[in-house]
Amino acid sequence: MPVQYRDDIPSPESFWTLFESTGWNLEYRLPPADLARAVANSQHVEAAYDGERLVGFGRVVSDGIVHAMIYDLITDPAYQGRGIGTEILKRLVAKCREEGIRDIQLFSAAGKRGFYERRGFRARPDESPGMEYGEKLHPT
Ligand SMILES: CC(C)(COP(=O)(O)OP(=O)(O)OC[C@H]1O[C@@H](n2cnc3c(N)ncnc32)[C@H](O)[C@@H]1OP(=O)(O)O)[C@@H](O)C(=O)NCCC(=O)NCCS
């Protein structure tokens, strides 16, 4: 069955399983309910399914006019290298473009810079890097 793309929010359980494949939650330590709320608060989501199985995902957090950030671009490891991440990224960028968002950004995970550069993104200049504040918060 070909992979199907949808722009509705995946179930909390299926997204949790996909998110856990990245190892990112070792740092964020998000409980499933918080992760589901974060996804629900996104302006745009794109999800890829093989039947009922969630195999790819990405989302946009945006002010609707000037800035949009793409987060959580993830393909199930068993499905990587088949064009799913590229398709989700293309769809998210197209949604931002349709809205006239001026500035589309993302943070590249380690080792993914080339992937994004080949798809139209460029790293910020060294003299104006992306920054993040202090230590990340963790639930007690
Ligand atoms: C980054 C990520 C989302 C890419 O997803 P993906 O579905 O594997 O991406 P694609 O299949 O579209 O592209 C991956 C590579 O496979 C190649 N490819 C795409 N379709 C292909 C096909 N049908 N056959 C063979 N290769 C293919 C692409 O050209 C691409 O090569 P490149 O990286 O040299 O440009 C995925 O690696 C991932 O989930 N990583 C873990 C989470 C992560 O780090 N996310 C990024 C956050 S910033």
Side-chain angles (χ1 to χ4, degrees):
M1 183 187 292
V3 168
Q4 309 269 342
Y5 294 91
R6 304 204 319 238
D7 61 3
D8 49 4
I9 292 171
S11 73
E13 299 75 23
S14 61
F15 184 64
W16 174 258
T17 302
L18 187 66
F19 193 79
E20 285 294 286
S21 75
T22 64
W24 295 336
N25 218 15
L26 295 172
E27 179 181 12
Y28 288 105
R29 289 184 249 157
L30 285 163
D34 284 4
L35 194 59
R37 284 177 57 219
V39 169
N41 285 336
S42 307
Q43 268 70 25
H44 302 295
V45 304
E46 287 287 341
Y49 290 88
D50 181 3
E52 291 303 306
R53 177 174 173 180
L54 178 70
V55 297
F57 181 83
R59 66 188 178 107
V60 170
V61 176
S62 166
D63 63 19
I65 306 289
V66 187
H67 300 294
M69 287 289 295
I70 293 172
Y71 287 109
D72 295 341
L73 184 69
I74 306 168
T75 300
D76 182 321
Y79 287 77
Q80 290 178 8
R82 303 187 199 180
I84 294 171
T86 301
E87 181 63 26
I88 290 173
L89 186 64
K90 189 178 87 179
R91 286 167 181 249
L92 293 174
V93 167
K95 288 244 168 82
C96 294
R97 285 291 188 230
E98 282 164 22
E99 287 183 309
I101 300 288
R102 284 15 168 226
D103 173 40
I104 304 170
Q105 300 184 342
L106 53 78
F107 294 114
S108 172
K112 300 301 176 191
R113 178 175 173 161
F115 172 84
Y116 289 115
E117 285 178 340
R118 286 186 283 281
R119 287 155 185 82
F121 288 81
R122 60 179 179 273
R124 290 181 58 85
D126 287 346
E127 63 273 21
S128 52
M131 312 273 295
E132 60 185 5
Y133 181 71
E135 296 293 317
K136 294 195 171 49
L137 284 182
H138 299 297
T140 50

